[in-house]
Amino acid sequence: MAQTRQPTTVDVAIIGGGLVGASLACALGDLIEAEQARANEQARADERESDGEPRAPLRVAIIEPQPLPSVDEVGAYQPSFDARASAIAHGSRRHFEQLKVWPTMREQASPIRHIHVSERGHLGATRLHADELGVEALGYVIPNAWMGRALHARLDRLPIDWHCPARVETLEPAHGGYRLTLDTGEIIQAGLTVLADGGRSGFKERLGIESDHHPYQQTALIANVEMSRAHDGWAFERFTQEGPMALLPLTGRRMELVWTHEQGDIEEALALPDSLFLDRLQRAFGDRAGRFRRVGQRHAYPLSLITARETIRPHLAILGNAAHSLHPVAGQGFNLALRGVMDLAAAIETARANGRTAGDARTLAAFEASRTADTHRIVRFSDGLIRLFGIDHAVLGYTRAAGLVGLNALGPLRRTLARRAMGIER
Ligand SMILES: Cc1cc2nc3c(=O)[nH]c(=O)nc-3n(C[C@H](O)[C@H](O)[C@H](O)COP(=O)(O)OP(=O)(O)OC[C@H]3O[C@@H](n4cnc5c(N)ncnc54)[C@H](O)[C@@H]3O)c2cc1C
């Protein structure tokens, strides 16, 4: 039976230790360490000559219900054929470098050196190359489980209050912040609470924060496939009448398939025997990546655009999927969330340097002001991509093909778009 204890007071409580919550805790790592070093220095000075209370260093708690693999298991990691992966933009790599997790991340990262965008039934393809843009890779594909482990291994070395496995059961405004009750009986009083729960806990709704839901009536079929030849760092996006599809390079000859289906077609696509599924995939995709030799487990994700109408309140910020859940074909969800993480960490650092708290209204207003334009742009971009390519209309079809060919011819514009897609330019 869980025991109720005295509340623990923290500056920042992060609900959810998924990719976004764990990234935020890592992003606050340098600030925590710097403030601790200053506090230690001041404590030593105070021993010599006492002048007032030293300010306590930033205290951060993170709560995650899923048990984590032990840090030792990080070294023993072997990606299975079916491991889920995400496309990480070049800009996100720079953020991971700042978080000091990139050296571990890159061990399992497959670089995207070229991108090929095409449309079935129409001439013209857009090709983007990393070397044209003067970068090592346009992006990287990294298994989600590996990203999680790299983040958790870094957190393990930071002075952070880890509550895992533990679930936040209640969240109530109290004493200039929020009071969190965990299923372990612990109580946390936080100056700033960050909702990074992927929209899964129901707290957003319980707090009366409304969201706009736009179901696409589509489902993404995700599976890893093995190709007859090496992918050489090519990623493919292809727009077909059945829906957009993306093929991303993984280690070896494996690639990750994201194939959007109309709602009514998904059950059949999931149930097809592997050989028939591979035939259908080959017909839809063509031969540009080689022959599809093997398919792993197929998963279905119903797609919708969900955006929270509020992302801040006094003492509360919402990040990641809880704030915006996008169509995965453009691979932007986590990249966008990571920019939010970096901006929130920067706003907290500025606030602390100016004697303000993490949860005060000016800190959160500064965070929101830094996010609005980027979030709107990415939501419009991913939503527009699906609408533009989802409409089955011959005239539009040619316009799209022309657009793709035109895009290929317009060097500087294409480079700007590519830099945006890579997260180098906003
Ligand atoms: C099919 C698919 C493919 C994608 N591909 C890409 C891609 O290629 N590139 C990209 O940038 N993005 C991609 N995305 C988007 C990306 O996966 C999300 O942006 C990202 O996973 C969001 O992470 P999160 O931490 O916000 O949420 P989650 O991963 O859902 O994590 C939330 C965490 O909160 C915890 N939690 C829930 N309730 C509680 C509670 N009561 N108390 C404490 N903790 C709680 C959960 O256990 C979980 O660990 C894709 C999405 C999908 C669906």
Side-chain angles (χ1 to χ4, degrees):
M1 183 73 179
Q3 293 292 307
T4 305
R5 300 172 205 157
Q6 283 299 308
T8 306
T9 301
V10 301
D11 299 289
V12 182
I14 304 170
I15 303 183
L19 291 180
V20 172
S23 296
L24 176 64
C26 287
L28 293 171
D30 279 349
L31 180 60
I32 297 169
E33 288 184 330
E35 290 196 0
Q36 276 209 333
R38 266 201 303 275
N40 292 343
E41 181 57 35
Q42 198 176 345
R44 278 195 293 276
D46 289 349
E47 272 176 25
R48 295 192 293 271
E49 156 194 4
S50 164
D51 66 344
E53 277 287 294
R55 188 169 76 157
L58 186 77
R59 185 160 178 189
V60 176
I62 178 164
I63 306 103
E64 168 57 46
Q66 300 295 329
L68 296 176
S70 77
V71 174
D72 298 343
E73 287 175 56
V74 174
Y77 175 83
Q78 281 295 331
S80 69
F81 186 85
D82 287 320
R84 295 272 67 79
S86 294
I88 295 305
H90 184 80
S92 295
R93 168 200 163 144
R94 293 206 301 225
H95 294 322
F96 284 146
E97 283 167 349
Q98 285 171 266
L99 304 189
K100 301 186 171 75
V101 294
W102 180 245
T104 311
M105 291 256 179
R106 79 171 308 151
E107 287 173 29
Q108 298 287 336
S110 307
I112 302 175
R113 300 197 198 282
H114 318 273
I115 299 179
H116 183 286
V117 186
S118 63
E119 189 178 5
R120 187 164 154 207
H122 297 282
L123 282 176
T126 294
R127 293 180 182 80
L128 304 169
H129 306 282
D131 54 4
E132 265 186 275
L133 295 152
V135 289
E136 179 199 274
L138 296 161
Y140 299 84
V141 189
I142 315 181
N144 294 350
W146 183 253
M147 282 197 280
R149 285 175 190 214
L151 290 164
H152 294 147
R154 166 81 181 128
L155 284 184
D156 207 53
R157 297 192 296 274
L158 288 171
I160 280 179
D161 301 1
W162 248 121
H163 299 268
C164 179
R167 177 181 300 278
V168 181
E169 287 199 322
T170 64
L171 175 67
E172 305 155 313
H175 311 300
Y178 279 84
R179 174 186 286 248
L180 292 67
T181 311
L182 316 193
D183 60 359
T184 53
E186 288 159 294
I187 298 175
I188 299 174
Q189 174 66 37
L192 171 65
T193 296
V194 180
L195 212 48
D197 64 343
R200 299 157 184 256
S201 69
F203 287 136
K204 204 171 53 170
E205 292 73 15
R206 273 182 260 163
L207 291 170
I209 296 174
E210 291 183 27
S211 299
D212 291 312
H213 288 247
H214 173 81
Y216 286 113
Q217 315 298 344
Q218 291 176 338
T219 299
L221 184 152
I222 314 271
N224 290 352
V225 291
E226 189 176 82
M227 310 306 298
S228 60
R229 60 168 197 246
H231 51 61
D232 292 332
W234 279 88
F236 298 86
E237 281 204 39
R238 185 155 176 77
F239 294 91
T240 74
Q241 277 189 358
E242 293 90 44
M245 53 209 297
L247 209 52
L248 303 169
L250 296 169
T251 47
R253 290 190 174 182
R254 288 181 316 133
M255 300 190 88
E256 179 170 79
L257 170 71
V258 182
W259 190 1
T260 310
H261 284 69
E262 295 300 319
Q263 212 88 297
D265 301 340
I266 191 70
E267 292 306 329
E268 190 204 349
L270 290 172
L272 276 181
D274 287 1
S275 60
L276 294 182
F277 178 82
L278 289 168
D279 286 348
R280 181 183 285 188
L281 177 58
Q282 194 78 58
R283 276 199 306 280
F285 196 79
D287 283 333
R288 55 192 53 71
R291 305 296 298 170
F292 291 90
R293 290 275 187 247
R294 178 181 164 196
V295 60
Q297 210 180 341
R298 283 163 258 167
H299 302 269
Y301 292 87
L303 299 176
S304 53
L305 171 68
I306 304 173
T307 45
R309 289 192 188 163
E310 295 168 75
T311 50
I312 57 164
R313 277 187 178 179
H315 309 289
L316 184 77
I318 306 181
L319 284 182
N321 266 14
H324 43 67
S325 154
L326 312 177
H327 192 298
V329 90
Q332 298 285 334
F334 179 59
N335 291 300
L336 175 64
L338 192 55
R339 295 198 289 276
V341 160
M342 301 311 283
D343 283 348
L344 181 57
I348 293 173
E349 187 168 353
T350 305
R352 303 273 301 175
N354 291 298
R356 286 184 281 114
T357 60
D360 94 6
R362 273 172 65 192
T363 311
L364 295 172
F367 160 66
E368 194 180 41
S370 65
R371 294 312 311 140
T372 310
D374 187 27
T375 306
H376 283 171
R377 185 176 60 75
I378 294 293
V379 168
R380 266 203 319 273
F381 171 73
S382 346
D383 186 48
L385 198 68
I386 304 314
R387 288 177 195 282
L388 180 63
F389 288 99
I391 300 167
D392 176 21
H393 188 287
V395 178
L396 260 183
Y398 286 113
T399 317
R400 279 181 254 146
L404 291 178
V405 177
L407 194 59
N408 211 5
L410 291 173
L413 173 62
R414 189 162 64 92
R415 272 195 286 280
T416 305
L417 288 175
R419 291 179 74 80
R420 283 205 179 152
M422 287 156 55
I424 295 175
E425 276 172 19
R426 289 191 179 184

